[in-house]
Amino acid sequence: MSSRTLTTPARLLRYCFHKPRRVFYADPVRLYYGSPQVVTGSAVRTVDLRSDTVTKPGAAMRRAMAEAEVGDDVFGEDPTVNELQKIAADMFGMEAALYVPTGTMSNLIAVMVHCRERGDEMIVGDLSHMYVYEQGGSAQLAGVHSAAVTTLSDGTFDLDQLISKIRHGYPDPHYPRSRLVCVENTHNIQGGRVLPLSFLQELRSVADNFGLTVHMDGARVMNAAVALGVQPSAIIQHCHSVSVCLSKGLGAPVGTMLGGSKDFIQRAVRARKALGGGMRQSGVLAAAGKIALSDMIGRLEEDHRNAKSFAQALLQCDPPMYQVDLTTVESNILRFHLRDADMSPAEFCERMAGVDEEEVKALGQGVQVLMFPHVGGTVRAVWHLGISEEDTQLAIQKAHFVAHQHKLKSTRAA
């Protein structure tokens, strides 16, 4: 196959599989998800900044899971699940909540409940997780059409553009019927941006005026609450439903909470069963979710602080190789650019994940830092409970070392 016929991801992968000499190499990650081989050895330390989904349950969670009281949740008889759902509903300021296996399923259930007829339409941001990364499930499985509005740099969208997307004249047979607006908070692709409360308030007003419902993909809404210094309910009150992930920064191994009105959750139970999400003795998993909501929210501030420290260190790097806007670093996700076009994001991630003899000699140990090439020619790094302040400092050292080595290489080439 010639290079002209290769897709962009294929070109990146073909490039990444070229391995420099004398490098103890970890296989490259894919553009968004991947499982690189971890470099092993007494002189190698791994700092995994690919995603906050790589977190592992700690001793307290594992103990709670082992000791959980269980029942049949499809019959509504699992006491641990029921307790988790009550805790979540109270925390969200909503009438009820439902334990769901995944965030993607939770978002799809919300779409199915809000958009009750095939051919209904939801309006979403063009860079939202629901629009980009969930396989078009709303159309594929629910028969719901998506209309996209332009996602702005802060994760919001223009409300006038939203209004222009709303369909009128139902039951005109030519058009779908507008039913739902979806927002994402914090916003993944835009680098963990926290949606302003004023935007959410104005959005809800628009939705009410046009008879629409609002769903929040709040996979990381707890990060948003910590960043704003408010209770989660202060954010969620502007939505009719919310999906909150337990298995990202909160550290549970499985699960998402879907919140809404009692009627919404009753319908959601039916949709969950149809999608294969009705679990039986799931209190074993829900026990970890209880720990996540009771003990793990406060520590998210540490992740935010480490992300900011790393961003500041990139700007202080000599030679100046990294471009970061510190005003956009609001939570645990960092996106940054490389100043030198001679090093692509994929090559940079490859170099950060590799360990060579020169690095071990210079730093005293090898540091394998895992990141992803991301949207818009950026690199994405995500902090979580598995990354300490010490890990962050090691990642900073590695980033400075890579910049220094790249400058030496460029100088020799010149």
Side-chain angles (χ1 to χ4, degrees), residues 102-169:
T102 73
T104 294
M105 181 184 287
S106 182
N107 284 333
L108 179 57
I109 290 172
V111 172
M112 293 173 68
V113 174
H114 288 304
C115 302
R116 300 181 185 179
E117 297 181 17
R118 297 181 67 84
D120 282 348
E121 183 174 69
M122 66 177 185
I123 304 173
V124 296
D126 62 350
L127 294 181
S128 67
H129 196 281
M130 292 180 67
Y131 190 71
V132 177
Y133 292 125
E134 298 183 10
Q135 209 184 110
S138 59
Q140 183 180 169
L141 300 173
V144 175
H145 184 259
S146 295
V149 291
T150 303
T151 303
L152 303 178
S153 61
D154 64 353
T156 67
F157 41 77
D158 182 76
L159 294 180
D160 287 334
Q161 185 186 24
L162 168 67
I163 292 171
S164 74
K165 295 285 184 176
I166 298 173
R167 311 279 185 169
H168 302 285

Side-chain angles (χ1 to χ4, degrees), residues 292-318:
L293 292 181
S294 64
D295 297 355
M296 305 303 287
I297 296 174
R299 63 148 310 280
L300 294 175
E301 185 177 358
E302 178 183 344
D303 299 335
H304 299 183
R305 184 168 59 250
N306 286 333
K308 179 79 79 170
S309 296
F310 185 84
Q312 291 170 334
L314 292 185
L315 290 179
Q316 295 165 1
C317 181
D318 184 18

Side-chain angles (χ1 to χ4, degrees), residues 329-349:
V329 186
E330 297 177 335
S331 60
N332 66 318
I333 302 177
L334 171 65
R335 286 178 61 208
F336 59 92
H337 290 83
L338 304 174
R339 293 178 180 272
D340 192 337
D342 289 338
M343 179 179 283
S344 69
E347 182 182 0
F348 172 78
C349 290

